[in-house]
Coordinates of all heavy atoms in Angstrom, one line a residue:
M1 N -46.1 -130.7 -15.4 CA -45.1 -131.7 -15.3 C -44.5 -131.8 -13.9 O -44.1 -130.7 -13.3 CB -43.9 -131.4 -16.3 CG -42.8 -132.4 -16.2 SD -41.5 -132.2 -17.5 CE -42.4 -132.6 -18.9
T2 N -44.5 -132.9 -13.3 CA -43.9 -133.1 -11.9 C -42.5 -132.6 -11.9 O -41.7 -132.9 -12.8 CB -44.0 -134.5 -11.5 OG1 -45.4 -134.9 -11.6 CG2 -43.6 -134.7 -10.0
F3 N -42.1 -131.9 -10.8 CA -40.8 -131.3 -10.7 C -40.2 -131.8 -9.4 O -40.8 -131.8 -8.3 CB -41.0 -129.8 -10.6 CG -39.7 -129.0 -10.7 CD1 -39.0 -128.9 -11.8 CD2 -39.2 -128.4 -9.5 CE1 -37.9 -128.1 -11.9 CE2 -38.1 -127.6 -9.6 CZ -37.4 -127.5 -10.8
F4 N -39.0 -132.4 -9.5 CA -38.3 -133.0 -8.4 C -37.1 -132.1 -8.0 O -36.4 -131.5 -8.8 CB -37.8 -134.4 -8.7 CG -38.9 -135.3 -9.0 CD1 -39.4 -135.4 -10.3 CD2 -39.4 -136.2 -8.0 CE1 -40.4 -136.3 -10.5 CE2 -40.4 -137.1 -8.3 CZ -40.9 -137.2 -9.5
V5 N -36.8 -132.1 -6.7 CA -35.7 -131.3 -6.2 C -34.9 -132.2 -5.2 O -35.6 -132.9 -4.3 CB -36.1 -130.0 -5.4 CG1 -34.9 -129.3 -4.8 CG2 -36.9 -129.1 -6.4
I6 N -33.6 -132.3 -5.3 CA -32.8 -133.0 -4.4 C -31.8 -131.9 -3.8 O -31.0 -131.3 -4.6 CB -32.0 -134.1 -5.0 CG1 -33.0 -135.1 -5.6 CG2 -31.1 -134.8 -4.0 CD1 -32.3 -136.2 -6.5
A7 N -31.9 -131.7 -2.5 CA -31.0 -130.7 -1.9 C -30.1 -131.5 -0.9 O -30.6 -132.3 -0.1 CB -31.9 -129.7 -1.1
E8 N -28.8 -131.2 -1.1 CA -27.8 -131.9 -0.3 C -27.2 -130.9 0.7 O -26.8 -129.8 0.3 CB -26.7 -132.5 -1.2 CG -27.3 -133.6 -2.1 CD -26.2 -134.2 -3.0 OE1 -25.0 -134.2 -2.6 OE2 -26.6 -134.6 -4.1
F9 N -27.0 -131.3 1.9 CA -26.5 -130.5 3.0 C -25.4 -131.2 3.7 O -25.4 -132.4 4.0 CB -27.6 -130.2 4.0 CG -28.9 -129.6 3.5 CD1 -29.9 -130.5 3.0 CD2 -29.1 -128.3 3.4 CE1 -31.0 -129.9 2.5 CE2 -30.2 -127.7 2.9 CZ -31.2 -128.6 2.4
L10 N -24.4 -130.4 4.1 CA -23.3 -130.9 5.0 C -23.1 -130.0 6.1 O -22.7 -128.8 5.9 CB -22.0 -131.1 4.2 CG -20.8 -131.6 5.0 CD1 -21.1 -133.0 5.4 CD2 -19.5 -131.5 4.2
A11 N -23.4 -130.4 7.3 CA -23.3 -129.6 8.5 C -21.8 -129.4 8.9 O -20.9 -130.2 8.7 CB -24.0 -130.3 9.7
A12 N -21.5 -128.2 9.4 CA -20.2 -127.9 9.9 C -20.0 -128.8 11.1 O -20.9 -129.3 11.7 CB -20.2 -126.4 10.3
P13 N -18.7 -129.0 11.5 CA -18.4 -129.9 12.7 C -19.3 -129.4 13.9 O -19.4 -128.3 14.3 CB -16.9 -129.7 12.9 CG -16.4 -129.3 11.6 CD -17.5 -128.5 10.9
G14 N -19.9 -130.4 14.5 CA -20.7 -130.2 15.7 C -22.1 -129.6 15.5 O -22.8 -129.3 16.4
Q15 N -22.5 -129.4 14.2 CA -23.7 -128.8 13.9 C -24.8 -129.8 13.3 O -25.9 -129.3 12.9 CB -23.5 -127.7 12.9 CG -22.6 -126.6 13.4 CD -23.3 -125.8 14.6 OE1 -24.5 -125.6 14.6 NE2 -22.5 -125.5 15.6
H16 N -24.5 -131.1 13.3 CA -25.4 -132.0 12.6 C -26.8 -132.0 13.3 O -27.8 -132.2 12.7 CB -24.8 -133.4 12.4 CG -24.6 -134.1 13.7 ND1 -23.4 -134.0 14.4 CD2 -25.3 -135.0 14.4 CE1 -23.4 -134.8 15.5 NE2 -24.6 -135.4 15.5
D17 N -26.9 -131.9 14.6 CA -28.2 -131.9 15.3 C -29.0 -130.6 14.9 O -30.2 -130.7 14.7 CB -28.0 -131.9 16.8 CG -27.6 -133.3 17.3 OD1 -27.9 -134.3 16.6 OD2 -27.0 -133.4 18.4
R18 N -28.3 -129.5 14.8 CA -29.0 -128.3 14.4 C -29.5 -128.4 12.9 O -30.6 -127.9 12.6 CB -28.1 -127.1 14.5 CG -27.9 -126.7 16.0 CD -27.1 -125.4 16.2 NE -28.0 -124.3 15.8 CZ -27.5 -123.1 15.5 NH1 -26.2 -122.8 15.6 NH2 -28.3 -122.1 15.1
L19 N -28.7 -129.1 12.1 CA -29.1 -129.3 10.7 C -30.4 -130.1 10.7 O -31.4 -129.8 10.0 CB -28.0 -129.9 9.9 CG -28.4 -130.3 8.5 CD1 -28.9 -129.1 7.6 CD2 -27.2 -131.0 7.8
R20 N -30.4 -131.2 11.4 CA -31.5 -132.1 11.4 C -32.8 -131.3 11.9 O -33.8 -131.4 11.4 CB -31.3 -133.3 12.3 CG -32.5 -134.3 12.4 CD -32.2 -135.4 13.4 NE -31.0 -136.1 13.0 CZ -31.0 -137.2 12.2 NH1 -32.1 -137.6 11.6 NH2 -29.8 -137.8 11.9
T21 N -32.6 -130.6 13.0 CA -33.7 -129.8 13.5 C -34.2 -128.8 12.5 O -35.5 -128.6 12.3 CB -33.3 -129.1 14.8 OG1 -32.9 -130.1 15.8 CG2 -34.4 -128.2 15.4
A22 N -33.3 -128.1 11.8 CA -33.8 -127.1 10.8 C -34.5 -127.7 9.7 O -35.5 -127.2 9.2 CB -32.5 -126.4 10.3
L23 N -34.1 -128.9 9.2 CA -34.7 -129.6 8.1 C -36.1 -130.1 8.6 O -37.1 -130.1 7.8 CB -33.8 -130.6 7.5 CG -32.6 -130.1 6.9 CD1 -31.7 -131.3 6.3 CD2 -32.8 -129.0 5.8
E24 N -36.1 -130.7 9.8 CA -37.4 -131.3 10.3 C -38.4 -130.2 10.4 O -39.6 -130.4 10.2 CB -37.1 -132.0 11.6 CG -36.4 -133.3 11.4 CD -36.1 -134.0 12.7 OE1 -36.2 -133.4 13.8 OE2 -35.7 -135.2 12.6
A25 N -38.0 -129.0 10.8 CA -38.9 -127.9 11.0 C -39.5 -127.4 9.7 O -40.6 -126.8 9.7 CB -38.2 -126.7 11.7
L26 N -38.9 -127.7 8.6 CA -39.5 -127.4 7.3 C -40.6 -128.3 6.8 O -41.3 -128.0 5.9 CB -38.4 -127.3 6.2 CG -37.4 -126.1 6.3 CD1 -36.3 -126.4 5.3 CD2 -38.2 -124.9 5.9
I27 N -40.6 -129.5 7.3 CA -41.5 -130.6 6.7 C -42.9 -130.2 6.7 O -43.6 -130.1 5.7 CB -41.2 -131.9 7.4 CG1 -39.8 -132.4 7.1 CG2 -42.3 -132.9 6.9 CD1 -39.4 -133.6 7.9
E28 N -43.5 -129.9 7.9 CA -44.9 -129.6 8.0 C -45.4 -128.4 7.2 O -46.3 -128.5 6.4 CB -45.3 -129.5 9.5 CG -46.8 -129.4 9.6 CD -47.2 -129.5 11.1 OE1 -46.6 -130.2 11.9 OE2 -48.2 -128.8 11.4
P29 N -44.7 -127.2 7.4 CA -45.2 -126.1 6.6 C -45.0 -126.2 5.1 O -45.8 -125.7 4.3 CB -44.4 -124.9 7.2 CG -43.2 -125.5 7.9 CD -43.6 -126.9 8.3
T30 N -44.0 -127.0 4.7 CA -43.8 -127.2 3.3 C -44.8 -128.1 2.7 O -45.4 -127.8 1.6 CB -42.3 -127.7 3.0 OG1 -41.4 -126.8 3.5 CG2 -42.1 -127.9 1.5
L31 N -45.2 -129.2 3.4 CA -46.2 -130.1 3.0 C -47.6 -129.4 2.9 O -48.4 -129.8 2.1 CB -46.3 -131.3 3.9 CG -45.1 -132.3 3.7 CD1 -45.2 -133.4 4.8 CD2 -45.1 -132.9 2.4
D32 N -47.8 -128.3 3.6 CA -49.0 -127.6 3.6 C -49.1 -126.6 2.4 O -50.1 -126.0 2.2 CB -49.2 -126.8 4.9 CG -49.6 -127.7 6.0 OD1 -50.1 -128.8 5.8 OD2 -49.4 -127.3 7.2
E33 N -48.0 -126.4 1.7 CA -47.9 -125.5 0.6 C -48.7 -126.0 -0.6 O -48.6 -127.2 -0.9 CB -46.5 -125.2 0.2 CG -45.7 -124.4 1.2 CD -44.3 -124.1 0.7 OE1 -44.1 -123.8 -0.4 OE2 -43.4 -124.4 1.5
P34 N -49.3 -125.1 -1.4 CA -50.0 -125.6 -2.6 C -48.9 -126.1 -3.6 O -47.9 -125.5 -3.7 CB -50.6 -124.3 -3.2 CG -50.6 -123.3 -2.0 CD -49.5 -123.7 -1.1
G35 N -49.2 -127.3 -4.1 CA -48.3 -127.8 -5.1 C -47.3 -128.8 -4.6 O -46.5 -129.4 -5.3
C36 N -47.1 -128.8 -3.3 CA -46.1 -129.8 -2.7 C -46.7 -131.2 -2.6 O -47.7 -131.4 -2.0 CB -45.7 -129.3 -1.3 SG -44.4 -130.4 -0.6
L37 N -46.1 -132.1 -3.3 CA -46.5 -133.5 -3.3 C -45.8 -134.3 -2.3 O -46.3 -135.3 -1.8 CB -46.4 -134.1 -4.7 CG -47.1 -133.3 -5.8 CD1 -46.8 -133.9 -7.2 CD2 -48.6 -133.3 -5.6
S38 N -44.5 -134.0 -2.0 CA -43.7 -134.8 -1.1 C -42.5 -133.9 -0.7 O -42.0 -133.1 -1.5 CB -43.2 -136.0 -1.8 OG -42.4 -136.8 -0.9
F39 N -42.1 -134.1 0.6 CA -41.0 -133.4 1.1 C -40.4 -134.2 2.3 O -41.1 -134.4 3.3 CB -41.4 -132.0 1.7 CG -40.2 -131.1 2.1 CD1 -39.7 -130.2 1.2 CD2 -39.7 -131.2 3.4 CE1 -38.6 -129.4 1.6 CE2 -38.6 -130.4 3.8 CZ -38.1 -129.5 2.9
R40 N -39.3 -134.9 2.0 CA -38.7 -135.8 3.0 C -37.2 -135.6 3.2 O -36.5 -135.3 2.2 CB -38.9 -137.2 2.6 CG -40.4 -137.5 2.4 CD -40.7 -139.0 2.1 NE -40.6 -139.7 3.4 CZ -40.9 -141.0 3.5 NH1 -41.1 -141.7 2.5 NH2 -40.8 -141.5 4.7
A41 N -36.8 -135.6 4.5 CA -35.4 -135.5 4.8 C -34.8 -136.9 5.1 O -35.5 -137.7 5.7 CB -35.2 -134.6 6.0
Y42 N -33.6 -137.0 4.7 CA -32.8 -138.3 4.9 C -31.5 -138.0 5.4 O -30.8 -137.0 5.0 CB -32.7 -139.1 3.6 CG -34.0 -139.4 2.9 CD1 -34.6 -138.6 2.0 CD2 -34.7 -140.6 3.3 CE1 -35.9 -138.9 1.4 CE2 -35.9 -140.9 2.7 CZ -36.5 -140.1 1.8 OH -37.7 -140.4 1.2
A43 N -31.0 -138.8 6.3 CA -29.6 -138.7 6.9 C -28.8 -139.9 6.4 O -29.2 -141.0 6.2 CB -29.7 -138.7 8.4
D44 N -27.5 -139.6 6.1 CA -26.5 -140.6 5.7 C -26.2 -141.4 7.0 O -25.7 -140.8 8.0 CB -25.3 -139.9 5.2 CG -24.2 -140.9 4.7 OD1 -24.2 -142.0 5.2 OD2 -23.5 -140.5 3.8
P45 N -26.5 -142.7 7.0 CA -26.2 -143.5 8.2 C -24.7 -143.6 8.5 O -24.4 -143.9 9.7 CB -26.8 -144.9 7.8 CG -26.8 -144.9 6.3 CD -27.0 -143.5 5.9
N46 N -23.9 -143.3 7.6 CA -22.4 -143.3 7.8 C -21.8 -142.0 8.2 O -20.6 -141.9 8.5 CB -21.7 -143.9 6.6 CG -22.2 -145.4 6.3 OD1 -22.2 -146.2 7.2 ND2 -22.6 -145.6 5.1
D47 N -22.6 -140.9 8.0 CA -22.1 -139.6 8.2 C -23.2 -138.7 8.7 O -24.0 -138.1 7.8 CB -21.4 -139.0 7.0 CG -20.8 -137.6 7.2 OD1 -20.9 -137.1 8.3 OD2 -20.3 -137.1 6.2
P48 N -23.5 -138.5 10.0 CA -24.6 -137.8 10.4 C -24.6 -136.3 10.0 O -25.6 -135.6 10.1 CB -24.6 -137.9 12.0 CG -23.2 -138.3 12.3 CD -22.7 -139.0 11.1
A49 N -23.5 -135.8 9.6 CA -23.4 -134.4 9.1 C -23.9 -134.2 7.7 O -24.2 -133.1 7.3 CB -21.9 -133.9 9.2
S50 N -24.2 -135.3 7.0 CA -24.6 -135.3 5.7 C -26.1 -135.7 5.6 O -26.5 -136.7 6.0 CB -23.8 -136.3 4.8 OG -24.3 -136.2 3.5
M51 N -26.9 -134.7 5.0 CA -28.4 -135.0 4.9 C -28.8 -134.6 3.5 O -28.2 -133.7 2.9 CB -29.1 -134.2 6.0 CG -28.9 -134.7 7.4 SD -30.0 -134.0 8.6 CE -31.5 -134.9 8.1
V52 N -29.9 -135.1 3.1 CA -30.5 -134.8 1.8 C -32.0 -134.6 2.0 O -32.7 -135.3 2.8 CB -30.3 -136.0 0.8 CG1 -31.0 -135.8 -0.5 CG2 -28.8 -136.2 0.6
V53 N -32.6 -133.7 1.3 CA -34.0 -133.5 1.2 C -34.5 -133.8 -0.2 O -33.9 -133.3 -1.2 CB -34.4 -132.1 1.6 CG1 -35.9 -131.8 1.3 CG2 -34.1 -131.8 3.1
V54 N -35.5 -134.6 -0.3 CA -36.0 -135.0 -1.6 C -37.5 -134.4 -1.7 O -38.3 -134.7 -0.8 CB -36.0 -136.5 -1.9 CG1 -36.7 -136.8 -3.2 CG2 -34.6 -137.1 -1.8
E55 N -37.7 -133.6 -2.7 CA -39.0 -132.9 -2.8 C -39.6 -133.2 -4.1 O -38.9 -133.5 -5.1 CB -38.8 -131.4 -2.7 CG -38.0 -130.9 -1.6 CD -37.6 -129.4 -1.7 OE1 -38.4 -128.6 -2.1 OE2 -36.4 -129.1 -1.3
R56 N -40.9 -133.3 -4.1 CA -41.7 -133.5 -5.4 C -42.8 -132.4 -5.4 O -43.6 -132.3 -4.4 CB -42.3 -134.9 -5.4 CG -42.9 -135.2 -6.7 CD -43.2 -136.7 -6.9 NE -44.0 -137.2 -5.8 CZ -45.3 -137.5 -6.0 NH1 -45.9 -137.4 -7.1 NH2 -46.0 -138.0 -4.9
W57 N -42.8 -131.7 -6.5 CA -43.8 -130.6 -6.7 C -44.6 -130.8 -7.9 O -44.2 -131.5 -8.9 CB -43.0 -129.3 -6.8 CG -42.2 -128.9 -5.6 CD1 -41.0 -129.3 -5.2 CD2 -42.7 -128.2 -4.5 NE1 -40.6 -128.9 -4.0 CE2 -41.7 -128.2 -3.5 CE3 -43.9 -127.5 -4.2 CZ2 -41.8 -127.5 -2.3 CZ3 -44.0 -126.8 -3.0 CH2 -43.0 -126.8 -2.0
E58 N -45.8 -130.2 -7.9 CA -46.7 -130.3 -9.1 C -46.0 -129.7 -10.3 O -46.2 -130.3 -11.4 CB -48.0 -129.6 -8.8 CG -48.9 -130.4 -7.9 CD -50.3 -129.7 -7.7 OE1 -50.5 -128.6 -8.3 OE2 -51.0 -130.2 -6.9
N59 N -45.3 -128.7 -10.1 CA -44.6 -128.0 -11.3 C -43.5 -127.0 -10.7 O -43.4 -126.8 -9.5 CB -45.6 -127.2 -12.1 CG -46.5 -126.3 -11.3 OD1 -46.0 -125.6 -10.5 ND2 -47.8 -126.4 -11.6
R60 N -42.8 -126.5 -11.6 CA -41.7 -125.6 -11.3 C -42.2 -124.3 -10.6 O -41.6 -123.8 -9.6 CB -40.9 -125.2 -12.5 CG -39.8 -124.1 -12.3 CD -38.7 -124.7 -11.5 NE -37.8 -123.7 -11.1 CZ -36.5 -123.8 -11.2 NH1 -35.9 -124.8 -11.9 NH2 -35.7 -122.9 -10.7
Q61 N -43.4 -123.8 -11.0 CA -43.9 -122.6 -10.4 C -44.2 -122.9 -8.9 O -44.0 -122.0 -8.1 CB -45.2 -122.2 -11.1 CG -45.8 -121.0 -10.5 CD -47.1 -120.5 -11.2 OE1 -47.5 -121.1 -12.3 NE2 -47.8 -119.6 -10.7
A62 N -44.8 -124.0 -8.5 CA -45.0 -124.3 -7.1 C -43.7 -124.3 -6.3 O -43.7 -123.7 -5.2 CB -45.7 -125.6 -7.0
F63 N -42.7 -124.9 -6.9 CA -41.4 -124.8 -6.2 C -40.8 -123.4 -6.1 O -40.3 -123.0 -5.0 CB -40.4 -125.7 -6.9 CG -39.0 -125.6 -6.4 CD1 -38.7 -126.2 -5.1 CD2 -38.0 -125.0 -7.1 CE1 -37.4 -126.0 -4.6 CE2 -36.7 -124.8 -6.5 CZ -36.4 -125.4 -5.3
D64 N -40.9 -122.6 -7.2 CA -40.5 -121.3 -7.1 C -41.2 -120.5 -6.0 O -40.6 -119.6 -5.4 CB -40.6 -120.6 -8.5 CG -39.6 -121.1 -9.5 OD1 -38.6 -121.8 -9.1 OD2 -39.8 -120.9 -10.7
E65 N -42.5 -120.7 -5.9 CA -43.2 -120.0 -4.8 C -42.8 -120.5 -3.4 O -42.7 -119.7 -2.5 CB -44.7 -120.2 -5.0 CG -45.2 -119.5 -6.3 CD -46.7 -119.8 -6.6 OE1 -47.4 -120.4 -5.8 OE2 -47.1 -119.4 -7.7
H66 N -42.4 -121.7 -3.3 CA -41.9 -122.2 -2.1 C -40.6 -121.5 -1.6 O -40.4 -121.2 -0.4 CB -41.5 -123.7 -2.2 CG -40.6 -124.3 -1.2 ND1 -41.0 -124.5 0.1 CD2 -39.4 -124.8 -1.3 CE1 -40.0 -125.1 0.8 NE2 -39.0 -125.2 -0.1
L67 N -39.8 -121.1 -2.6 CA -38.6 -120.4 -2.3 C -38.8 -119.0 -1.7 O -37.9 -118.4 -1.1 CB -37.7 -120.2 -3.6 CG -37.3 -121.5 -4.2 CD1 -36.5 -121.2 -5.5 CD2 -36.4 -122.3 -3.2
T68 N -40.0 -118.5 -1.7 CA -40.3 -117.1 -1.2 C -41.1 -117.2 0.2 O -41.4 -116.2 0.7 CB -41.2 -116.4 -2.2 OG1 -42.5 -117.0 -2.3 CG2 -40.6 -116.3 -3.6
T69 N -41.3 -118.4 0.7 CA -42.1 -118.5 1.9 C -41.3 -118.1 3.1 O -40.0 -118.3 3.2 CB -42.6 -120.0 2.1 OG1 -41.4 -120.8 2.2 CG2 -43.5 -120.4 1.0
P70 N -41.9 -117.6 4.2 CA -41.2 -117.2 5.4 C -40.5 -118.3 6.0 O -39.4 -118.1 6.5 CB -42.3 -116.6 6.3 CG -43.4 -116.2 5.3 CD -43.4 -117.2 4.2
H71 N -41.1 -119.5 6.1 CA -40.4 -120.6 6.8 C -39.1 -121.0 6.0 O -38.1 -121.4 6.7 CB -41.3 -121.8 7.0 CG -42.0 -122.4 5.8 ND1 -43.2 -121.9 5.3 CD2 -41.6 -123.4 5.0 CE1 -43.5 -122.6 4.2 NE2 -42.6 -123.5 4.0
L72 N -39.1 -120.9 4.7 CA -37.9 -121.3 4.0 C -36.8 -120.2 4.2 O -35.6 -120.5 4.3 CB -38.2 -121.6 2.5 CG -36.9 -122.1 1.8 CD1 -36.5 -123.4 2.4 CD2 -37.2 -122.2 0.3
R73 N -37.3 -118.9 4.1 CA -36.3 -117.8 4.3 C -35.7 -117.9 5.7 O -34.5 -117.7 5.8 CB -37.0 -116.5 4.1 CG -37.3 -116.2 2.6 CD -37.6 -114.8 2.3 NE -38.6 -114.2 3.2 CZ -39.9 -114.1 2.9 NH1 -40.3 -114.4 1.7 NH2 -40.7 -113.6 3.8
H74 N -36.5 -118.3 6.7 CA -35.9 -118.4 8.1 C -34.9 -119.6 8.1 O -33.8 -119.4 8.6 CB -37.0 -118.7 9.1 CG -36.5 -119.1 10.4 ND1 -35.9 -118.2 11.3 CD2 -36.4 -120.3 11.0 CE1 -35.5 -118.8 12.4 NE2 -35.8 -120.1 12.2
A75 N -35.3 -120.7 7.5 CA -34.3 -121.9 7.4 C -33.0 -121.5 6.7 O -32.0 -121.9 7.1 CB -35.0 -123.0 6.8
Q76 N -33.1 -120.7 5.7 CA -31.9 -120.3 4.9 C -31.0 -119.5 5.8 O -29.7 -119.7 5.7 CB -32.3 -119.5 3.7 CG -32.9 -120.4 2.6 CD -33.4 -119.6 1.4 OE1 -33.9 -118.5 1.6 NE2 -33.4 -120.3 0.3
R77 N -31.5 -118.6 6.7 CA -30.7 -117.9 7.6 C -30.0 -118.8 8.6 O -28.8 -118.6 8.9 CB -31.5 -116.8 8.3 CG -31.9 -115.7 7.4 CD -32.5 -114.5 8.1 NE -33.7 -114.8 8.8 CZ -34.9 -114.8 8.3 NH1 -35.1 -114.4 7.1 NH2 -36.0 -115.1 9.1
V78 N -30.7 -119.8 9.1 CA -30.1 -120.8 10.0 C -29.0 -121.6 9.3 O -27.9 -121.8 9.8 CB -31.2 -121.7 10.6 CG1 -30.6 -122.8 11.4 CG2 -32.1 -120.9 11.5
L79 N -29.4 -122.1 8.1 CA -28.4 -122.9 7.4 C -27.1 -122.2 7.0 O -26.1 -122.8 7.0 CB -29.1 -123.5 6.1 CG -30.2 -124.4 6.3 CD1 -31.0 -124.7 5.0 CD2 -29.8 -125.7 7.0
D80 N -27.2 -120.9 6.7 CA -26.0 -120.1 6.4 C -25.0 -120.2 7.6 O -23.8 -120.1 7.3 CB -26.4 -118.7 6.1 CG -27.1 -118.5 4.8 OD1 -27.0 -119.4 3.9 OD2 -27.7 -117.4 4.6
R81 N -25.5 -120.3 8.8 CA -24.6 -120.4 10.0 C -24.1 -121.8 10.3 O -23.1 -121.9 11.0 CB -25.4 -119.8 11.2 CG -25.7 -118.3 11.0 CD -26.2 -117.7 12.3 NE -27.3 -118.4 13.0 CZ -28.6 -118.1 12.8 NH1 -28.9 -117.1 12.0 NH2 -29.5 -118.8 13.4
I82 N -24.8 -122.8 9.9 CA -24.4 -124.2 10.3 C -23.9 -125.1 9.3 O -23.4 -126.2 9.6 CB -25.6 -124.8 11.1 CG1 -26.8 -125.1 10.1 CG2 -26.0 -124.0 12.3 CD1 -27.9 -125.9 10.7
L83 N -23.9 -124.7 8.0 CA -23.4 -125.6 7.0 C -21.9 -125.4 6.8 O -21.4 -124.3 6.8 CB -24.1 -125.3 5.6 CG -25.6 -125.7 5.6 CD1 -26.2 -125.4 4.2 CD2 -25.8 -127.2 5.9
A84 N -21.3 -126.5 6.4 CA -19.8 -126.5 6.2 C -19.6 -125.9 4.8 O -18.5 -125.4 4.5 CB -19.3 -127.9 6.2
R85 N -20.5 -126.0 3.9 CA -20.4 -125.5 2.5 C -21.8 -125.2 2.0 O -22.8 -125.7 2.6 CB -19.7 -126.5 1.6 CG -20.5 -127.8 1.4 CD -19.8 -128.7 0.4 NE -20.6 -129.9 0.2 CZ -20.2 -131.1 0.5 NH1 -19.0 -131.3 1.0 NH2 -21.0 -132.1 0.3
P86 N -22.0 -124.4 1.0 CA -23.3 -124.1 0.5 C -24.0 -125.4 0.1 O -23.4 -126.3 -0.4 CB -23.1 -123.2 -0.7 CG -21.7 -122.6 -0.4 CD -20.9 -123.6 0.3
L87 N -25.3 -125.4 0.2 CA -26.1 -126.6 -0.2 C -26.0 -126.8 -1.7 O -25.8 -125.9 -2.4 CB -27.6 -126.5 0.3 CG -28.4 -125.5 -0.5 CD1 -29.2 -126.1 -1.6 CD2 -29.4 -124.9 0.5
T88 N -26.1 -128.1 -2.1 CA -26.2 -128.4 -3.5 C -27.6 -128.7 -3.9 O -28.3 -129.5 -3.2 CB -25.3 -129.7 -3.8 OG1 -24.0 -129.4 -3.4 CG2 -25.4 -130.0 -5.3
L89 N -28.1 -128.1 -4.9 CA -29.5 -128.2 -5.3 C -29.6 -128.8 -6.7 O -29.0 -128.2 -7.6 CB -30.2 -126.8 -5.3 CG -31.7 -126.8 -5.3 CD1 -32.3 -127.4 -4.1 CD2 -32.2 -125.4 -5.5
R90 N -30.3 -129.9 -6.9 CA -30.5 -130.5 -8.2 C -32.0 -130.5 -8.5 O -32.8 -130.8 -7.6 CB -30.0 -131.9 -8.2 CG -28.5 -132.0 -8.0 CD -28.0 -133.4 -8.3 NE -28.3 -133.8 -9.6 CZ -28.4 -135.1 -10.0 NH1 -28.3 -136.1 -9.2 NH2 -28.6 -135.4 -11.3
T91 N -32.3 -130.1 -9.7 CA -33.7 -130.1 -10.1 C -33.9 -131.1 -11.2 O -33.0 -131.2 -12.1 CB -34.2 -128.7 -10.5 OG1 -33.4 -128.2 -11.6 CG2 -34.2 -127.8 -9.3
L92 N -35.0 -131.9 -11.2 CA -35.2 -132.9 -12.2 C -36.7 -132.9 -12.6 O -37.5 -132.6 -11.9 CB -34.9 -134.3 -11.6 CG -33.5 -134.5 -11.0 CD1 -33.4 -135.6 -10.1 CD2 -32.5 -134.7 -12.1
V93 N -36.9 -133.4 -13.8 CA -38.2 -133.7 -14.3 C -38.2 -135.2 -14.8 O -37.2 -135.7 -15.1 CB -38.7 -132.8 -15.5 CG1 -38.8 -131.4 -15.0 CG2 -37.7 -132.9 -16.6
E94 N -39.4 -135.8 -14.8 CA -39.5 -137.2 -15.3 C -39.0 -137.3 -16.7 O -39.4 -136.4 -17.5 CB -40.9 -137.7 -15.1 CG -41.3 -137.9 -13.7 CD -42.6 -138.5 -13.5 OE1 -42.9 -139.6 -14.1 OE2 -43.5 -137.9 -12.8
A95 N -38.2 -138.3 -17.0 CA -37.8 -138.6 -18.4 C -39.0 -139.2 -19.1 O -39.7 -140.0 -18.6 CB -36.7 -139.6 -18.4
S96 N -39.3 -138.7 -20.3 CA -40.4 -139.2 -21.0 C -40.0 -140.7 -21.5 O -38.9 -141.0 -21.7 CB -40.7 -138.4 -22.3 OG -39.6 -138.3 -23.1
P97 N -41.0 -141.5 -21.6 CA -40.8 -142.9 -21.9 C -40.0 -143.1 -23.2 O -39.1 -144.0 -23.3 CB -42.1 -143.6 -22.0 CG -43.0 -142.7 -21.2 CD -42.4 -141.3 -21.3
E98 N -40.2 -142.2 -24.2 CA -39.5 -142.3 -25.4 C -38.0 -141.9 -25.3 O -37.2 -142.2 -26.2 CB -40.2 -141.6 -26.6 CG -40.4 -140.1 -26.3 CD -41.7 -139.8 -25.5 OE1 -42.5 -140.8 -25.2 OE2 -42.0 -138.7 -25.2
S99 N -37.6 -141.2 -24.2 CA -36.2 -140.8 -24.1 C -35.4 -141.7 -23.3 O -34.2 -141.6 -23.2 CB -36.2 -139.4 -23.5 OG -36.6 -139.4 -22.2
V100 N -36.0 -142.7 -22.7 CA -35.3 -143.7 -21.9 C -34.9 -144.9 -22.8 O -35.7 -145.4 -23.5 CB -36.2 -144.2 -20.7 CG1 -35.4 -145.2 -19.9 CG2 -36.6 -143.0 -19.8
P101 N -33.6 -145.2 -22.8 CA -33.1 -146.3 -23.6 C -33.7 -147.6 -23.2 O -34.0 -147.9 -22.2 CB -31.6 -146.3 -23.5 CG -31.2 -145.3 -22.4 CD -32.5 -144.6 -22.0

């Protein structure tokens, strides 16, 4: 079952360029991971300190393996220093047609 992740980030004052750089550095190695179907970063046009990453994975296992990769562990160390608050992570699966009103 396709697994979606929405990660929300808020940079500390003066750190939005570092946040953008850290997230952009994740794109290529993450897309090369087995099971990664999509990984895109988006910036809020009204607040450059606010960014979102939308990910699509073949399944939960592929995402869980992503969490152990060296490039993500490195990014987490950087993010710990530049975020105004901890990231918010939402995980979703497609709603089955019979469950949608």
